[in-house]
Amino acid sequence: MTRLKIDHVTRYDYNDNVSKSYNEARMTPLSDDEQIVLEAELTLSPGIATVSNYRDYWGTRVAAFDIQGRHRHLEVRSSATVEVHRRPGDEVADGLSWEELATPEVLDAVSDFVPQTPLTRLGPELEKVAEEIRKEAADPAAAAAAIFQGIASHMQYVPGVTGVHTDAEAAWREAKGVCQDLAHVAIGMMRHIGIPARYVSGYLHPDYEAGIGATVPGESHAWVEWWNDRWYAYDPTNHTPLTDFHVTVARGRDYTDVTPLKGMVTGGGGTSGLDVTVEVTQTA
């Protein structure tokens, strides 16, 4: 078990006064079978916002808020303390056969995560790679392992090469990208060969040796979950199953379902600055 305190701050500064803004924040971690949120708080500046909280279709905690008064900046701070206790060694010992995975009963249960989306779609090159893996794999578990190994061999983690609208085929062609891109490639390849898969966003404590009480720059992160009679999680960026240093915030079909902060403004003349910081402290 690991206890982590996470502070995530996003600040927009505008060139001129904004008269109205409408926003959704998906920045608060979830409680599930492997993590428990002990404390969570979302604070806004300016503090004149009207806030409503709900869970979206995918189960993510959402804070929807609007600010009607004039303002020159927007700052959203999410603070949470989470206790993480991942099951040790989440390797797939046994699972479904290809025939079992393809039954209507199984596919209907996870039907939201079977079709491709604009961000997970594959072109001819990547479709061929996925189909070759399918031919060689004895079962879905072997295919998933081969997909993750192929991504590790072909792609590098390089920030700044891709953007939020880059799809899986473009990221594969570049052979580099960030965690979002590697997740989209993995999801797209698995869906193409019949394995349901979904996108997960969250936080990652990047330094196992920092020790209890040390605050370090953390990361907003992304990984994948794929279905094989239950959901299995894997981090294709770090080439590892999840650890107690991964904290889940949101799940969806791709990045567009889990965007940490999105909205619209009236006025403002564009942004003069955007600053995002994540700090993580292991407290136990």
Side-chain angles (χ1 to χ4, degrees):
M1 185 274 291
T2 301
R3 187 174 293 177
L4 300 173
K5 184 178 185 299
I6 302 154
D7 287 296
H8 178 185
V9 181
T10 300
R11 180 184 174 97
Y12 289 92
D13 289 295
Y14 304 109
N15 291 314
D16 201 350
N17 282 323
V18 170
S19 58
K20 299 176 183 178
S21 85
Y22 303 89
N23 308 274
E24 289 184 346
R26 289 169 172 81
M27 298 165 65
T28 302
L30 298 171
S31 288
D32 58 24
D33 292 342
E34 295 188 336
Q35 65 181 43
I36 298 173
V37 178
L38 303 178
E39 297 178 323
E41 182 182 24
L42 191 79
T43 56
L44 306 172
S45 176
I48 55 175
T50 302
V51 183
S52 61
N53 295 282
Y54 68 95
R55 289 187 181 269
D56 68 13
Y57 177 80
W58 314 105
T60 302
R61 299 173 65 172
V62 184
F65 60 94
D66 61 270
I67 303 173
Q68 299 296 327
R70 291 182 175 274
H71 54 286
R72 292 289 295 264
H73 78 275
L74 170 63
E75 182 175 288
V76 182
R77 177 184 296 271
S78 173
S79 299
T81 300
V82 186
E83 201 169 80
V84 187
H85 43 92
R86 306 238 173 246
R87 55 172 65 93
D90 199 21
E91 293 85 9
V92 186
D94 297 301
L96 300 175
S97 66
W98 287 112
E99 292 75 18
E100 291 169 330
L101 183 61
T103 60
E105 294 81 8
V106 171
L107 294 180
D108 285 349
V110 288
S111 59
D112 287 322
F113 306 107
V114 175
Q116 300 285 27
T117 69
L119 288 177
T120 67
R121 63 188 174 193
L122 311 184
E125 178 185 351
L126 196 47
E127 285 182 349
K128 184 177 179 180
V129 173
E131 289 162 6
E132 287 298 320
I133 288 174
R134 170 64 178 85
K135 288 179 185 177
E136 298 292 329
D139 54 36
I147 286 171
F148 294 134
Q149 181 56 49
I151 291 172
S153 300
H154 180 78
M155 297 188 71
Q156 293 179 294
Y157 178 86
V158 180
V161 177
T162 57
V164 295
H165 301 297
T166 301
D167 63 23
E169 178 68 20
W172 180 264
R173 190 166 55 247
E174 289 286 345
K176 46 179 79 83
V178 293
C179 56
Q180 171 184 310
D181 303 302
L182 275 66
H184 284 149
V185 170
I187 292 168
M189 293 176 74
M190 284 191 279
R191 288 177 181 169
H192 184 68
I193 60 175
I195 302 175
R198 63 190 183 187
Y199 187 102
V200 187
S201 70
Y203 301 112
L204 177 65
H205 187 313
D207 188 354
Y208 287 90
E209 299 180 356
I212 294 174
T215 298
V216 301
E219 300 173 1
S220 293
H221 199 48
W223 54 91
V224 304
E225 292 178 346
W226 59 283
W227 182 259
N228 191 19
D229 208 26
R230 69 173 177 86
W231 290 107
Y232 287 86
Y234 193 83
D235 180 349
T237 302
N238 293 298
H239 318 304
T240 179
L242 265 59
T243 70
D244 283 1
F245 279 30
H246 289 78
V247 175
T248 302
V249 172
R251 296 181 173 96
R253 295 162 297 180
D254 61 24
Y255 173 78
T256 59
D257 287 332
V258 304
T259 307
L261 182 62
K262 63 182 178 181
M264 56 187 293
V265 301
T266 301
T271 57
S272 60
L274 168 61
D275 186 47
V276 180
T277 61
V278 178
E279 293 183 334
V280 185
T281 308
Q282 184 180 357
T283 62

